[in-house]
Amino acid sequence: MTSSSVDEPTSITSRTRTAAMPSRIEPMLASAGSEPFDSPDHIFELMWGGARTMAHVRDGHVRILGRNGLDLAPFFPELYLIPGLIDAHEAILDGEIVVIDSEGHPAFEALRPRLHAIAGIDPAAPPPELLKPKNIAGQLSYQAFDLLWLDGRSTTSLPLWQRKNMLHNAIRPTAEFAAVDFVNDEGVAFYDAVLERRLEGIVAKQKAGPYLPGERSKSWLEIRALRSGDFVVGGYTFGGAYRRGEPFSQVLLGGYGPSGDLEYVGSVSGGLTDSEARQLVDLLEPLHGAGSPFVDPPPVHRLVYWTKPELVCHVRFSEWAPDGHLRFPIFSALRPDLRADDCTID
């Protein structure tokens, strides 16, 4: 059902270097789609639910930049082999760091030890140079789904089908590094397969669309089967004995709406160990602020510390409630690779 080429004629692109490789390209963002569909004008990819990053390859070296510009490569030394597996002196790839579990499913929680090491929430974590594959419960992999630069030339203005063909032709896939497979035309059947396997969802992408750095475009549509998201911490409450040792009761979460204001979306308390909860408070204490960062402060019936909206966490939840809040949220991991303003809500 999956494919590694788009149903369009290939073309030859010059590999002569003509410009300096940019130090950073902002990722293109997808809009929310309501339901799966079939279309000869689209390809359909799996939503991996990993850490979105840009892999910058230059003359045998690689930097793997999170959306906040942090180089994550030292924390994922398994990915230093990428330059040897791509036919290019220079390349910029858009993709995700994921962990594949024993059943072949993406498992975001398996990234948690590395993400918490980056954030400093795990003081017992080894330094980056001592991180080994055994620290990950599964197969760590970089799944590349777009090619933005190749040997002196930007490819962002090319249609997606051409970028995809160039990407697959350039990569020699391994367990640690591969170009994302996709489905041509048949989005409904692909979504049903994803739903049956309880995966996160699919992304529909227009074959003729260019890459639009930093823009949220309807030429990419996320169609979710399960719910998760990244949210900004705007404060935490204590009192009420929700947690043993009680470093806090609940963490207050928000996201930036269309107006640019930070909107409250609910609170989370489950999913953290007591040790992680105490370390989280250590990270939040320097961010204490005088007032609520939310445009409409939530009613809080316990003691509260408001915090500057800088720390980001990943949360899984059952659905959005009619009041715009998360139902049954569970903390998944901190996201030190993201900026607060990456956390937007429709």
Side-chain angles (χ1 to χ4, degrees), residues 76 99 107-122 125 135-137 140 243 269-277 314 330-336:
F76 297 95
V99 174
F108 183 85
E109 283 72 16
L111 285 173
R112 184 162 160 169
R114 300 289 180 92
L115 294 173
H116 284 190
I118 297 168
I121 197 173
D122 183 3
N135 299 115
I136 287 283
L140 189 135
R243 306 187 59 87
S269 59
L272 282 159
T273 67
D274 290 343
S275 174
E276 288 173 333
H314 190 75
I330 297 293
F331 180 92
S332 183
L334 287 178
R335 294 302 305 269

PDB file of all heavy atoms in Angstrom, residues 76 99 107-122 125 135-137 140 243 269-277 314 330-336:
ATOM      1  N   PHE A  76      21.386  12.354  20.286  1.00  0.00           N
ATOM      2  CA  PHE A  76      20.957  11.214  19.487  1.00  0.00           C
ATOM      3  C   PHE A  76      22.135  10.747  18.632  1.00  0.00           C
ATOM      4  O   PHE A  76      22.109  10.844  17.395  1.00  0.00           O
ATOM      5  CB  PHE A  76      19.755  11.595  18.613  1.00  0.00           C
ATOM      6  CG  PHE A  76      18.533  11.982  19.399  1.00  0.00           C
ATOM      7  CD1 PHE A  76      18.278  13.313  19.680  1.00  0.00           C
ATOM      8  CD2 PHE A  76      17.660  11.018  19.875  1.00  0.00           C
ATOM      9  CE1 PHE A  76      17.159  13.687  20.420  1.00  0.00           C
ATOM     10  CE2 PHE A  76      16.533  11.376  20.611  1.00  0.00           C
ATOM     11  CZ  PHE A  76      16.281  12.717  20.885  1.00  0.00           C
ATOM     12  N   VAL A  99      10.955   6.708  17.608  1.00  0.00           N
ATOM     13  CA  VAL A  99      11.349   5.394  18.100  1.00  0.00           C
ATOM     14  C   VAL A  99      10.281   4.401  17.656  1.00  0.00           C
ATOM     15  O   VAL A  99       9.084   4.638  17.858  1.00  0.00           O
ATOM     16  CB  VAL A  99      11.499   5.364  19.636  1.00  0.00           C
ATOM     17  CG1 VAL A  99      11.765   3.945  20.111  1.00  0.00           C
ATOM     18  CG2 VAL A  99      12.629   6.278  20.076  1.00  0.00           C
ATOM     19  N   ALA A 107       6.563   5.166  18.988  1.00  0.00           N
ATOM     20  CA  ALA A 107       6.327   5.212  20.437  1.00  0.00           C
ATOM     21  C   ALA A 107       6.974   6.474  20.991  1.00  0.00           C
ATOM     22  O   ALA A 107       8.160   6.479  21.334  1.00  0.00           O
ATOM     23  CB  ALA A 107       6.899   3.961  21.110  1.00  0.00           C
ATOM     24  N   PHE A 108       6.187   7.561  21.080  1.00  0.00           N
ATOM     25  CA  PHE A 108       6.759   8.831  21.513  1.00  0.00           C
ATOM     26  C   PHE A 108       7.329   8.743  22.922  1.00  0.00           C
ATOM     27  O   PHE A 108       8.377   9.338  23.215  1.00  0.00           O
ATOM     28  CB  PHE A 108       5.704   9.938  21.455  1.00  0.00           C
ATOM     29  CG  PHE A 108       6.250  11.293  21.829  1.00  0.00           C
ATOM     30  CD1 PHE A 108       6.867  12.083  20.881  1.00  0.00           C
ATOM     31  CD2 PHE A 108       6.176  11.754  23.134  1.00  0.00           C
ATOM     32  CE1 PHE A 108       7.399  13.317  21.224  1.00  0.00           C
ATOM     33  CE2 PHE A 108       6.705  12.982  23.488  1.00  0.00           C
ATOM     34  CZ  PHE A 108       7.312  13.768  22.529  1.00  0.00           C
ATOM     35  N   GLU A 109       6.668   7.998  23.809  1.00  0.00           N
ATOM     36  CA  GLU A 109       7.133   7.939  25.193  1.00  0.00           C
ATOM     37  C   GLU A 109       8.550   7.383  25.304  1.00  0.00           C
ATOM     38  O   GLU A 109       9.255   7.666  26.264  1.00  0.00           O
ATOM     39  CB  GLU A 109       6.174   7.099  26.038  1.00  0.00           C
ATOM     40  CG  GLU A 109       4.886   7.810  26.437  1.00  0.00           C
ATOM     41  CD  GLU A 109       3.925   7.984  25.265  1.00  0.00           C
ATOM     42  OE1 GLU A 109       4.122   7.303  24.230  1.00  0.00           O
ATOM     43  OE2 GLU A 109       2.989   8.793  25.379  1.00  0.00           O
ATOM     44  N   ALA A 110       8.973   6.588  24.305  1.00  0.00           N
ATOM     45  CA  ALA A 110      10.331   6.050  24.341  1.00  0.00           C
ATOM     46  C   ALA A 110      11.382   7.135  24.151  1.00  0.00           C
ATOM     47  O   ALA A 110      12.553   6.937  24.492  1.00  0.00           O
ATOM     48  CB  ALA A 110      10.497   4.960  23.274  1.00  0.00           C
ATOM     49  N   LEU A 111      10.985   8.299  23.601  1.00  0.00           N
ATOM     50  CA  LEU A 111      11.910   9.430  23.474  1.00  0.00           C
ATOM     51  C   LEU A 111      12.077  10.192  24.791  1.00  0.00           C
ATOM     52  O   LEU A 111      12.961  11.041  24.916  1.00  0.00           O
ATOM     53  CB  LEU A 111      11.410  10.402  22.404  1.00  0.00           C
ATOM     54  CG  LEU A 111      11.577  10.000  20.946  1.00  0.00           C
ATOM     55  CD1 LEU A 111      10.869  10.995  20.041  1.00  0.00           C
ATOM     56  CD2 LEU A 111      13.045   9.907  20.572  1.00  0.00           C
ATOM     57  N   ARG A 112      11.212   9.914  25.728  1.00  0.00           N
ATOM     58  CA  ARG A 112      11.160  10.712  26.958  1.00  0.00           C
ATOM     59  C   ARG A 112      12.501  10.810  27.690  1.00  0.00           C
ATOM     60  O   ARG A 112      12.893  11.913  28.108  1.00  0.00           O
ATOM     61  CB  ARG A 112      10.085  10.123  27.871  1.00  0.00           C
ATOM     62  CG  ARG A 112       9.824  10.875  29.146  1.00  0.00           C
ATOM     63  CD  ARG A 112       8.485  10.424  29.675  1.00  0.00           C
ATOM     64  NE  ARG A 112       8.284  10.681  31.084  1.00  0.00           N
ATOM     65  CZ  ARG A 112       7.114  10.550  31.694  1.00  0.00           C
ATOM     66  NH1 ARG A 112       6.058  10.165  31.004  1.00  0.00           N
ATOM     67  NH2 ARG A 112       6.989  10.786  32.979  1.00  0.00           N
ATOM     68  N   PRO A 113      13.271   9.707  27.878  1.00  0.00           N
ATOM     69  CA  PRO A 113      14.561   9.857  28.575  1.00  0.00           C
ATOM     70  C   PRO A 113      15.507  10.844  27.894  1.00  0.00           C
ATOM     71  O   PRO A 113      16.187  11.631  28.570  1.00  0.00           O
ATOM     72  CB  PRO A 113      15.127   8.430  28.575  1.00  0.00           C
ATOM     73  CG  PRO A 113      13.934   7.544  28.429  1.00  0.00           C
ATOM     74  CD  PRO A 113      12.994   8.302  27.539  1.00  0.00           C
ATOM     75  N   ARG A 114      15.550  10.829  26.560  1.00  0.00           N
ATOM     76  CA  ARG A 114      16.453  11.747  25.859  1.00  0.00           C
ATOM     77  C   ARG A 114      15.946  13.183  25.962  1.00  0.00           C
ATOM     78  O   ARG A 114      16.725  14.111  26.188  1.00  0.00           O
ATOM     79  CB  ARG A 114      16.580  11.350  24.387  1.00  0.00           C
ATOM     80  CG  ARG A 114      17.128   9.948  24.165  1.00  0.00           C
ATOM     81  CD  ARG A 114      18.615   9.830  24.499  1.00  0.00           C
ATOM     82  NE  ARG A 114      19.091   8.473  24.272  1.00  0.00           N
ATOM     83  CZ  ARG A 114      19.623   8.037  23.143  1.00  0.00           C
ATOM     84  NH1 ARG A 114      19.744   8.846  22.114  1.00  0.00           N
ATOM     85  NH2 ARG A 114      20.031   6.789  23.035  1.00  0.00           N
ATOM     86  N   LEU A 115      14.638  13.398  25.779  1.00  0.00           N
ATOM     87  CA  LEU A 115      14.088  14.750  25.853  1.00  0.00           C
ATOM     88  C   LEU A 115      14.264  15.329  27.252  1.00  0.00           C
ATOM     89  O   LEU A 115      14.568  16.515  27.417  1.00  0.00           O
ATOM     90  CB  LEU A 115      12.615  14.746  25.451  1.00  0.00           C
ATOM     91  CG  LEU A 115      12.341  14.393  23.988  1.00  0.00           C
ATOM     92  CD1 LEU A 115      10.849  14.259  23.746  1.00  0.00           C
ATOM     93  CD2 LEU A 115      12.937  15.442  23.056  1.00  0.00           C
ATOM     94  N   HIS A 116      14.102  14.504  28.268  1.00  0.00           N
ATOM     95  CA  HIS A 116      14.276  14.991  29.632  1.00  0.00           C
ATOM     96  C   HIS A 116      15.744  15.237  29.955  1.00  0.00           C
ATOM     97  O   HIS A 116      16.073  16.113  30.760  1.00  0.00           O
ATOM     98  CB  HIS A 116      13.649  14.012  30.615  1.00  0.00           C
ATOM     99  CG  HIS A 116      12.153  14.097  30.650  1.00  0.00           C
ATOM    100  ND1 HIS A 116      11.390  13.469  31.597  1.00  0.00           N
ATOM    101  CD2 HIS A 116      11.290  14.757  29.843  1.00  0.00           C
ATOM    102  CE1 HIS A 116      10.106  13.728  31.370  1.00  0.00           C
ATOM    103  NE2 HIS A 116      10.028  14.505  30.303  1.00  0.00           N
ATOM    104  N   ALA A 117      16.641  14.487  29.310  1.00  0.00           N
ATOM    105  CA  ALA A 117      18.072  14.773  29.471  1.00  0.00           C
ATOM    106  C   ALA A 117      18.406  16.126  28.865  1.00  0.00           C
ATOM    107  O   ALA A 117      19.179  16.911  29.442  1.00  0.00           O
ATOM    108  CB  ALA A 117      18.906  13.676  28.817  1.00  0.00           C
ATOM    109  N   ILE A 118      17.829  16.442  27.708  1.00  0.00           N
ATOM    110  CA  ILE A 118      18.060  17.741  27.069  1.00  0.00           C
ATOM    111  C   ILE A 118      17.543  18.868  27.957  1.00  0.00           C
ATOM    112  O   ILE A 118      18.189  19.901  28.139  1.00  0.00           O
ATOM    113  CB  ILE A 118      17.375  17.793  25.692  1.00  0.00           C
ATOM    114  CG1 ILE A 118      17.985  16.757  24.751  1.00  0.00           C
ATOM    115  CG2 ILE A 118      17.498  19.187  25.076  1.00  0.00           C
ATOM    116  CD1 ILE A 118      17.187  16.536  23.482  1.00  0.00           C
ATOM    117  N   ALA A 119      16.353  18.657  28.528  1.00  0.00           N
ATOM    118  CA  ALA A 119      15.724  19.694  29.353  1.00  0.00           C
ATOM    119  C   ALA A 119      16.370  19.839  30.715  1.00  0.00           C
ATOM    120  O   ALA A 119      16.156  20.833  31.408  1.00  0.00           O
ATOM    121  CB  ALA A 119      14.238  19.389  29.525  1.00  0.00           C
ATOM    122  N   GLY A 120      17.144  18.834  31.138  1.00  0.00           N
ATOM    123  CA  GLY A 120      17.761  18.875  32.456  1.00  0.00           C
ATOM    124  C   GLY A 120      16.866  18.348  33.553  1.00  0.00           C
ATOM    125  O   GLY A 120      17.177  18.493  34.738  1.00  0.00           O
ATOM    126  N   ILE A 121      15.754  17.693  33.180  1.00  0.00           N
ATOM    127  CA  ILE A 121      14.847  17.189  34.196  1.00  0.00           C
ATOM    128  C   ILE A 121      15.347  15.886  34.813  1.00  0.00           C
ATOM    129  O   ILE A 121      14.889  15.466  35.858  1.00  0.00           O
ATOM    130  CB  ILE A 121      13.429  16.984  33.624  1.00  0.00           C
ATOM    131  CG1 ILE A 121      12.408  16.854  34.755  1.00  0.00           C
ATOM    132  CG2 ILE A 121      13.363  15.804  32.690  1.00  0.00           C
ATOM    133  CD1 ILE A 121      10.984  16.827  34.284  1.00  0.00           C
ATOM    134  N   ASP A 122      16.291  15.236  34.142  1.00  0.00           N
ATOM    135  CA  ASP A 122      16.840  13.979  34.649  1.00  0.00           C
ATOM    136  C   ASP A 122      18.309  14.176  34.993  1.00  0.00           C
ATOM    137  O   ASP A 122      19.185  13.994  34.158  1.00  0.00           O
ATOM    138  CB  ASP A 122      16.684  12.865  33.605  1.00  0.00           C
ATOM    139  CG  ASP A 122      17.171  11.519  34.126  1.00  0.00           C
ATOM    140  OD1 ASP A 122      17.563  11.456  35.314  1.00  0.00           O
ATOM    141  OD2 ASP A 122      17.162  10.549  33.353  1.00  0.00           O
ATOM    142  N   ALA A 125      20.839  11.436  34.110  1.00  0.00           N
ATOM    143  CA  ALA A 125      21.080  11.051  32.720  1.00  0.00           C
ATOM    144  C   ALA A 125      22.559  11.198  32.374  1.00  0.00           C
ATOM    145  O   ALA A 125      23.219  12.136  32.821  1.00  0.00           O
ATOM    146  CB  ALA A 125      20.239  11.912  31.780  1.00  0.00           C
ATOM    147  N   ASN A 135      19.943   2.959  25.719  1.00  0.00           N
ATOM    148  CA  ASN A 135      19.135   3.887  26.513  1.00  0.00           C
ATOM    149  C   ASN A 135      17.749   4.103  25.912  1.00  0.00           C
ATOM    150  O   ASN A 135      16.918   4.757  26.519  1.00  0.00           O
ATOM    151  CB  ASN A 135      19.842   5.242  26.633  1.00  0.00           C
ATOM    152  CG  ASN A 135      21.181   5.131  27.333  1.00  0.00           C
ATOM    153  OD1 ASN A 135      22.217   5.379  26.738  1.00  0.00           O
ATOM    154  ND2 ASN A 135      21.161   4.731  28.595  1.00  0.00           N
ATOM    155  N   ILE A 136      17.508   3.572  24.713  1.00  0.00           N
ATOM    156  CA  ILE A 136      16.219   3.733  24.042  1.00  0.00           C
ATOM    157  C   ILE A 136      15.524   2.383  23.972  1.00  0.00           C
ATOM    158  O   ILE A 136      16.120   1.386  23.559  1.00  0.00           O
ATOM    159  CB  ILE A 136      16.417   4.294  22.617  1.00  0.00           C
ATOM    160  CG1 ILE A 136      16.802   5.763  22.674  1.00  0.00           C
ATOM    161  CG2 ILE A 136      15.170   4.109  21.773  1.00  0.00           C
ATOM    162  CD1 ILE A 136      15.658   6.702  22.964  1.00  0.00           C
ATOM    163  N   ALA A 137      14.261   2.353  24.371  1.00  0.00           N
ATOM    164  CA  ALA A 137      13.478   1.107  24.337  1.00  0.00           C
ATOM    165  C   ALA A 137      12.818   0.983  22.962  1.00  0.00           C
ATOM    166  O   ALA A 137      11.627   1.251  22.799  1.00  0.00           O
ATOM    167  CB  ALA A 137      12.441   1.097  25.447  1.00  0.00           C
ATOM    168  N   LEU A 140      15.593   3.628  17.360  1.00  0.00           N
ATOM    169  CA  LEU A 140      15.589   5.057  17.093  1.00  0.00           C
ATOM    170  C   LEU A 140      15.890   5.288  15.614  1.00  0.00           C
ATOM    171  O   LEU A 140      16.761   4.637  15.033  1.00  0.00           O
ATOM    172  CB  LEU A 140      16.610   5.771  17.962  1.00  0.00           C
ATOM    173  CG  LEU A 140      16.525   7.298  17.890  1.00  0.00           C
ATOM    174  CD1 LEU A 140      16.602   7.901  19.282  1.00  0.00           C
ATOM    175  CD2 LEU A 140      17.631   7.873  17.023  1.00  0.00           C
ATOM    176  N   ARG A 243      -0.816  14.634  44.721  1.00  0.00           N
ATOM    177  CA  ARG A 243       0.385  13.855  44.487  1.00  0.00           C
ATOM    178  C   ARG A 243       1.064  13.580  45.816  1.00  0.00           C
ATOM    179  O   ARG A 243       1.078  14.420  46.715  1.00  0.00           O
ATOM    180  CB  ARG A 243       1.376  14.613  43.593  1.00  0.00           C
ATOM    181  CG  ARG A 243       0.825  15.115  42.274  1.00  0.00           C
ATOM    182  CD  ARG A 243       1.958  15.684  41.442  1.00  0.00           C
ATOM    183  NE  ARG A 243       2.958  14.656  41.200  1.00  0.00           N
ATOM    184  CZ  ARG A 243       2.895  13.806  40.177  1.00  0.00           C
ATOM    185  NH1 ARG A 243       1.920  13.855  39.316  1.00  0.00           N
ATOM    186  NH2 ARG A 243       3.816  12.892  40.018  1.00  0.00           N
ATOM    187  N   SER A 269      -2.047  16.374  35.514  1.00  0.00           N
ATOM    188  CA  SER A 269      -1.319  15.935  36.697  1.00  0.00           C
ATOM    189  C   SER A 269      -0.769  14.530  36.531  1.00  0.00           C
ATOM    190  O   SER A 269       0.256  14.187  37.114  1.00  0.00           O
ATOM    191  CB  SER A 269      -2.228  15.986  37.932  1.00  0.00           C
ATOM    192  OG  SER A 269      -3.371  15.167  37.752  1.00  0.00           O
ATOM    193  N   GLY A 270      -1.427  13.687  35.726  1.00  0.00           N
ATOM    194  CA  GLY A 270      -0.981  12.311  35.566  1.00  0.00           C
ATOM    195  C   GLY A 270       0.113  12.160  34.540  1.00  0.00           C
ATOM    196  O   GLY A 270       0.266  12.979  33.631  1.00  0.00           O
ATOM    197  N   GLY A 271       0.892  11.081  34.694  1.00  0.00           N
ATOM    198  CA  GLY A 271       1.916  10.744  33.723  1.00  0.00           C
ATOM    199  C   GLY A 271       3.328  11.021  34.166  1.00  0.00           C
ATOM    200  O   GLY A 271       4.281  10.598  33.512  1.00  0.00           O
ATOM    201  N   LEU A 272       3.490  11.740  35.270  1.00  0.00           N
ATOM    202  CA  LEU A 272       4.816  12.052  35.804  1.00  0.00           C
ATOM    203  C   LEU A 272       5.100  11.212  37.049  1.00  0.00           C
ATOM    204  O   LEU A 272       4.218  11.026  37.889  1.00  0.00           O
ATOM    205  CB  LEU A 272       4.907  13.531  36.192  1.00  0.00           C
ATOM    206  CG  LEU A 272       5.108  14.556  35.080  1.00  0.00           C
ATOM    207  CD1 LEU A 272       4.662  15.915  35.565  1.00  0.00           C
ATOM    208  CD2 LEU A 272       6.554  14.593  34.639  1.00  0.00           C
ATOM    209  N   THR A 273       6.316  10.719  37.168  1.00  0.00           N
ATOM    210  CA  THR A 273       6.726  10.116  38.424  1.00  0.00           C
ATOM    211  C   THR A 273       6.952  11.221  39.456  1.00  0.00           C
ATOM    212  O   THR A 273       7.081  12.406  39.103  1.00  0.00           O
ATOM    213  CB  THR A 273       8.023   9.309  38.258  1.00  0.00           C
ATOM    214  OG1 THR A 273       9.097  10.225  37.953  1.00  0.00           O
ATOM    215  CG2 THR A 273       7.904   8.304  37.119  1.00  0.00           C
ATOM    216  N   ASP A 274       7.000  10.867  40.730  1.00  0.00           N
ATOM    217  CA  ASP A 274       7.238  11.873  41.766  1.00  0.00           C
ATOM    218  C   ASP A 274       8.577  12.566  41.563  1.00  0.00           C
ATOM    219  O   ASP A 274       8.699  13.780  41.752  1.00  0.00           O
ATOM    220  CB  ASP A 274       7.187  11.228  43.157  1.00  0.00           C
ATOM    221  CG  ASP A 274       5.784  10.796  43.559  1.00  0.00           C
ATOM    222  OD1 ASP A 274       4.824  11.279  42.922  1.00  0.00           O
ATOM    223  OD2 ASP A 274       5.645   9.982  44.479  1.00  0.00           O
ATOM    224  N   SER A 275       9.592  11.799  41.167  1.00  0.00           N
ATOM    225  CA  SER A 275      10.910  12.397  40.930  1.00  0.00           C
ATOM    226  C   SER A 275      10.854  13.386  39.776  1.00  0.00           C
ATOM    227  O   SER A 275      11.396  14.500  39.863  1.00  0.00           O
ATOM    228  CB  SER A 275      11.932  11.297  40.643  1.00  0.00           C
ATOM    229  OG  SER A 275      13.177  11.848  40.268  1.00  0.00           O
ATOM    230  N   GLU A 276      10.178  13.021  38.682  1.00  0.00           N
ATOM    231  CA  GLU A 276      10.057  13.923  37.540  1.00  0.00           C
ATOM    232  C   GLU A 276       9.249  15.162  37.906  1.00  0.00           C
ATOM    233  O   GLU A 276       9.549  16.269  37.446  1.00  0.00           O
ATOM    234  CB  GLU A 276       9.404  13.200  36.372  1.00  0.00           C
ATOM    235  CG  GLU A 276      10.300  12.162  35.713  1.00  0.00           C
ATOM    236  CD  GLU A 276       9.568  11.345  34.659  1.00  0.00           C
ATOM    237  OE1 GLU A 276       8.337  11.189  34.774  1.00  0.00           O
ATOM    238  OE2 GLU A 276      10.234  10.862  33.737  1.00  0.00           O
ATOM    239  N   ALA A 277       8.226  14.991  38.747  1.00  0.00           N
ATOM    240  CA  ALA A 277       7.423  16.136  39.174  1.00  0.00           C
ATOM    241  C   ALA A 277       8.264  17.139  39.949  1.00  0.00           C
ATOM    242  O   ALA A 277       8.154  18.353  39.756  1.00  0.00           O
ATOM    243  CB  ALA A 277       6.244  15.663  40.023  1.00  0.00           C
ATOM    244  N   HIS A 314       4.582  17.819  25.952  1.00  0.00           N
ATOM    245  CA  HIS A 314       3.735  17.026  25.057  1.00  0.00           C
ATOM    246  C   HIS A 314       2.715  16.277  25.909  1.00  0.00           C
ATOM    247  O   HIS A 314       3.059  15.687  26.938  1.00  0.00           O
ATOM    248  CB  HIS A 314       4.585  16.030  24.275  1.00  0.00           C
ATOM    249  CG  HIS A 314       3.855  15.333  23.170  1.00  0.00           C
ATOM    250  ND1 HIS A 314       3.539  15.943  21.990  1.00  0.00           N
ATOM    251  CD2 HIS A 314       3.359  14.065  23.081  1.00  0.00           C
ATOM    252  CE1 HIS A 314       2.908  15.092  21.200  1.00  0.00           C
ATOM    253  NE2 HIS A 314       2.773  13.949  21.837  1.00  0.00           N
ATOM    254  N   ILE A 330      -2.876  13.370  29.747  1.00  0.00           N
ATOM    255  CA  ILE A 330      -1.789  12.650  30.410  1.00  0.00           C
ATOM    256  C   ILE A 330      -0.468  13.236  29.922  1.00  0.00           C
ATOM    257  O   ILE A 330      -0.240  13.352  28.710  1.00  0.00           O
ATOM    258  CB  ILE A 330      -1.829  11.141  30.094  1.00  0.00           C
ATOM    259  CG1 ILE A 330      -3.118  10.510  30.634  1.00  0.00           C
ATOM    260  CG2 ILE A 330      -0.610  10.433  30.674  1.00  0.00           C
ATOM    261  CD1 ILE A 330      -3.213  10.500  32.149  1.00  0.00           C
ATOM    262  N   PHE A 331       0.384  13.629  30.867  1.00  0.00           N
ATOM    263  CA  PHE A 331       1.704  14.159  30.521  1.00  0.00           C
ATOM    264  C   PHE A 331       2.513  13.087  29.817  1.00  0.00           C
ATOM    265  O   PHE A 331       2.567  11.939  30.248  1.00  0.00           O
ATOM    266  CB  PHE A 331       2.413  14.607  31.800  1.00  0.00           C
ATOM    267  CG  PHE A 331       3.792  15.177  31.583  1.00  0.00           C
ATOM    268  CD1 PHE A 331       3.973  16.539  31.412  1.00  0.00           C
ATOM    269  CD2 PHE A 331       4.906  14.342  31.560  1.00  0.00           C
ATOM    270  CE1 PHE A 331       5.243  17.064  31.221  1.00  0.00           C
ATOM    271  CE2 PHE A 331       6.173  14.864  31.368  1.00  0.00           C
ATOM    272  CZ  PHE A 331       6.338  16.225  31.197  1.00  0.00           C
ATOM    273  N   SER A 332       3.170  13.471  28.720  1.00  0.00           N
ATOM    274  CA  SER A 332       3.969  12.526  27.952  1.00  0.00           C
ATOM    275  C   SER A 332       5.463  12.812  28.074  1.00  0.00           C
ATOM    276  O   SER A 332       6.242  11.919  28.372  1.00  0.00           O
ATOM    277  CB  SER A 332       3.546  12.566  26.480  1.00  0.00           C
ATOM    278  OG  SER A 332       4.250  11.625  25.721  1.00  0.00           O
ATOM    279  N   ALA A 333       5.880  14.062  27.852  1.00  0.00           N
ATOM    280  CA  ALA A 333       7.305  14.415  27.953  1.00  0.00           C
ATOM    281  C   ALA A 333       7.450  15.916  27.811  1.00  0.00           C
ATOM    282  O   ALA A 333       6.585  16.595  27.241  1.00  0.00           O
ATOM    283  CB  ALA A 333       8.133  13.716  26.875  1.00  0.00           C
ATOM    284  N   LEU A 334       8.545  16.449  28.309  1.00  0.00           N
ATOM    285  CA  LEU A 334       8.902  17.836  28.021  1.00  0.00           C
ATOM    286  C   LEU A 334       9.384  17.936  26.579  1.00  0.00           C
ATOM    287  O   LEU A 334       9.871  16.966  25.998  1.00  0.00           O
ATOM    288  CB  LEU A 334       9.993  18.318  28.963  1.00  0.00           C
ATOM    289  CG  LEU A 334       9.579  18.591  30.414  1.00  0.00           C
ATOM    290  CD1 LEU A 334      10.787  19.018  31.224  1.00  0.00           C
ATOM    291  CD2 LEU A 334       8.501  19.660  30.476  1.00  0.00           C
ATOM    292  N   ARG A 335       9.250  19.125  25.993  1.00  0.00           N
ATOM    293  CA  ARG A 335       9.704  19.361  24.627  1.00  0.00           C
ATOM    294  C   ARG A 335      10.726  20.501  24.615  1.00  0.00           C
ATOM    295  O   ARG A 335      10.422  21.626  24.221  1.00  0.00           O
ATOM    296  CB  ARG A 335       8.525  19.697  23.712  1.00  0.00           C
ATOM    297  CG  ARG A 335       7.530  18.566  23.512  1.00  0.00           C
ATOM    298  CD  ARG A 335       8.186  17.310  22.934  1.00  0.00           C
ATOM    299  NE  ARG A 335       8.900  17.560  21.692  1.00  0.00           N
ATOM    300  CZ  ARG A 335       8.358  17.447  20.488  1.00  0.00           C
ATOM    301  NH1 ARG A 335       7.108  17.085  20.355  1.00  0.00           N
ATOM    302  NH2 ARG A 335       9.086  17.669  19.407  1.00  0.00           N
ATOM    303  N   PRO A 336      11.965  20.232  25.032  1.00  0.00           N
ATOM    304  CA  PRO A 336      12.983  21.292  25.040  1.00  0.00           C
ATOM    305  C   PRO A 336      13.407  21.720  23.645  1.00  0.00           C
ATOM    306  O   PRO A 336      14.140  22.699  23.500  1.00  0.00           O
ATOM    307  CB  PRO A 336      14.143  20.644  25.804  1.00  0.00           C
ATOM    308  CG  PRO A 336      13.963  19.182  25.567  1.00  0.00           C
ATOM    309  CD  PRO A 336      12.482  18.956  25.536  1.00  0.00           C
TER     310      PRO A 336
END
